[in-house]
Amino acid sequence: MNPRELLRNSFQVALAAADPLQIVPSHLPKPPKGKTLVVGAGKAAAAMAHAVETHWPPDAQLSGIVITRYGHTLPTDKIEVIEAGHPLPDQHGELATRTMLEKVQTLNTDDLLLGLFSGGGSSLLSLPIAGVPMEALKDISRQLLLSGASIQEINTVRKHLSAVLGGRLAAACRAPIHCLIISDVTGDDPTHIASGPCAPDPTTYADVLALLKQYAIKVAPNVLAILQEKSQHTEDETPKPGDAVFRNVQNHVIATARQSLTAAEHFFRTYNITPLVLGDTVMGEAREVAKVYAALAREIHRYGQPFKPPVALISGGETTVTVKGRGRGGRNSEFLLSLTVALDGLEGVYALACDTDGIDGTERNAGAIMAPDTLTRAQQLGLNPAALLNDNDGYTFFEQLNDLVITGPTHTNVNDYRVILVL
């Protein structure tokens, strides 16, 4: 098997380890005395809902509504699937979330709320708090996504602008709650996954104001006034750890980046390639992380330290990109283009960087592949890698080389998957 095929196949193995259709069934709770309402949001929500329907007892009451990104739906019969905007919220998400909240409020203690949440849920559950219009929510979200803020910081803001995030969905429910969660964030804390609709929120409105100032986010005066007012009143806060609203709430993280990295580790061992898992919590600017990884790959290639080739450097997590240029691409193409520049055509080194949801940033690709001849081929096409990197245009670079990895929606999301193969 050639190196490119090894990289692509390892990615498929990582995706299979996070497949909701395989994972969800063994985690389903028993049906309650009353009815079960399924709610959910995220890029994996439709697949999770499909798995629930397939394995739910046929004589038990089941209905629901889940929200997923446009193009990420799967067929269901009893659970309605709504498509909405991601990464920026839109009116479809707002209307669907309002309907979801109304349905949750009708449940009683004999019923069950079954939550299905995965990465992407924060923008899809887009029902703003009173006084905050959708356009303001969208504008703040857009600025945060370009600012270089971490997903945890972005979600801190989202929670406090939302009527359902940050534990507020749980607060609206009288029935027991059982949530199944596919993690796309470092640390796998339910409070950060889809901004924790049914999880306690330790952050505050004061934290939100500090973050908006730190990242120079422009906020409409009326919205800023609302945030400042709420920061003065604890009763307006999101539910905190220890709050009674979580007494009958169970949050179960059923798929993580670690599981996918472990599956890839086993895959490479079958080809007698030494896997070195660098962690599932890698954060920081994508281009800077790539420079560190390039140094490690060079050390292995030249000196056989800390391991002799062949070696697969495997990592997950979520890097960030502070967008200063006008190019196209997400954090994985940015990482890979920076790696390409740093390695400068080093022989025997190949790499793949992809998002497990199949979408790198807002483009149609999951990520891309780099090979030792990438720079040479780019020069033959008249491409300037350093200039494209400065313009945050990794997509154009790898598109011109026909090295994009395009999977379409994967119906899961356990964050980024990166592997550098040193032969």
Side-chain angles (χ1 to χ4, degrees):
M1 188 178 297
N2 68 46
R4 286 174 174 270
E5 288 177 344
L6 273 172
L7 293 172
R8 287 181 177 273
N9 288 351
S10 76
F11 183 41
Q12 292 302 316
V13 167
L15 291 176
D19 183 355
L21 301 180
Q22 302 300 319
I23 296 170
V24 166
S26 64
H27 294 277
L28 290 175
K30 294 181 180 180
K33 180 193 299 184
K35 59 181 179 290
T36 297
L37 175 69
V38 176
V39 300
K43 297 168 191 172
M48 296 174 81
H50 180 82
V52 171
E53 281 197 0
T54 302
H55 295 275
W56 200 251
D59 57 343
Q61 297 183 61
L62 184 72
S63 64
I65 177 171
V66 301
I67 313 170
T68 194
R69 177 178 172 150
Y70 293 114
H72 287 242
T73 190
L74 283 177
T76 54
D77 294 322
K78 298 180 179 180
I79 303 169
E80 184 180 10
V81 178
I82 303 294
E83 295 181 330
H86 179 279
L88 295 178
D90 66 7
Q91 282 73 18
H92 287 99
E94 181 180 13
L95 291 173
T97 307
R98 190 182 304 279
T99 300
M100 181 186 297
L101 182 59
E102 291 170 352
K103 289 179 179 292
V104 167
Q105 291 170 334
T106 68
L107 298 177
N108 61 47
T109 54
D110 288 334
D111 300 324
L112 173 69
L113 180 65
L114 178 57
L116 308 175
F117 300 109
S118 67
S122 298
S123 65
L124 296 167
L125 290 168
S126 53
L127 179 61
I129 56 174
V132 177
M134 172 55 69
E135 283 307 310
L137 178 62
K138 185 182 296 186
D139 182 58
I140 292 171
S141 298
R142 181 186 296 108
Q143 293 181 68
L144 284 167
L145 290 168
L146 297 175
S147 71
S150 70
I151 190 62
Q152 288 85 354
E153 292 172 326
I154 293 172
N155 285 353
T156 294
V157 178
R158 285 167 162 168
K159 290 176 185 179
H160 289 85
L161 290 171
S162 168
V164 296
L165 302 178
R168 285 173 165 157
L169 188 64
C173 184
R174 290 174 294 172
I177 301 173
H178 190 101
C179 293
L180 304 182
I181 303 169
I182 294 179
S183 174
D184 72 324
V185 300
T186 58
D188 305 320
D189 189 334
T191 193
H192 297 305
I193 306 163
S195 293
C198 296
D201 175 32
T203 66
T204 66
Y205 277 102
D207 295 326
V208 172
L209 293 170
L211 287 169
L212 294 176
K213 181 179 180 180
Q214 177 183 344
Y215 290 102
I217 305 301
K218 297 178 181 178
V219 182
N222 62 315
V223 174
L224 184 60
I226 290 172
L227 296 175
Q228 291 172 334
E229 175 68 19
K230 288 184 177 296
S231 71
Q232 304 300 315
H233 302 283
T234 57
E235 65 271 18
D236 290 337
E237 267 294 352
T238 50
K240 304 303 176 196
D243 195 299
V245 303
F246 301 110
R247 186 171 49 238
N248 292 317
V249 177
Q250 298 182 56
N251 285 297
H252 300 278
V253 178
I254 62 172
T256 67
R258 171 59 63 176
Q259 292 168 216
S260 288
L261 299 188
T262 299
E265 180 182 14
H266 294 322
F267 169 82
F268 282 110
R269 286 194 189 280
T270 64
Y271 287 92
N272 295 316
I273 296 171
T274 301
L276 180 59
V277 177
L278 302 176
D280 62 349
T281 60
V282 177
M283 301 174 69
E285 282 287 327
R287 63 177 64 195
E288 299 304 321
V289 173
K291 293 175 185 177
V292 175
Y293 283 16
L296 179 56
R298 192 176 293 110
E299 188 76 8
I300 293 170
H301 181 267
R302 290 182 177 176
Y303 305 110
Q305 296 292 334
F307 297 99
K308 293 182 179 180
V311 173
L313 303 174
I314 308 168
S315 65
E318 184 171 29
T319 60
T320 54
V321 176
T322 302
V323 179
K324 298 180 179 178
R326 303 179 64 182
R328 301 169 63 191
R331 57 184 181 263
N332 288 291
S333 59
E334 176 108 349
F335 169 88
L336 208 57
L337 180 50
S338 179
L339 184 72
T340 300
V341 173
L343 288 174
D344 194 26
L346 184 65
E347 285 298 318
V349 180
Y350 298 75
L352 174 145
C354 290
D355 196 320
T356 54
D357 64 8
I359 305 294
D360 185 29
T362 59
E363 302 301 335
R364 65 189 180 97
N365 63 312
I369 285 181
M370 183 212 77
D373 65 348
T374 294
L375 272 184
T376 300
R377 291 188 293 120
Q379 291 166 356
Q380 291 171 349
L381 292 174
L383 299 173
N384 185 329
L388 289 167
L389 179 60
N390 287 334
D391 199 31
N392 303 117
D393 203 1
Y395 180 90
T396 295
F397 181 83
F398 291 106
E399 180 189 40
Q400 291 297 308
L401 293 171
N402 198 30
D403 279 339
L404 295 176
V405 175
I406 300 175
T407 62
T410 63
H411 303 291
T412 192
N413 186 13
V414 289
N415 229 315
D416 296 338
Y417 172 77
R418 294 176 297 269
V419 57
I420 301 173
L421 194 59
V422 186
L423 301 178

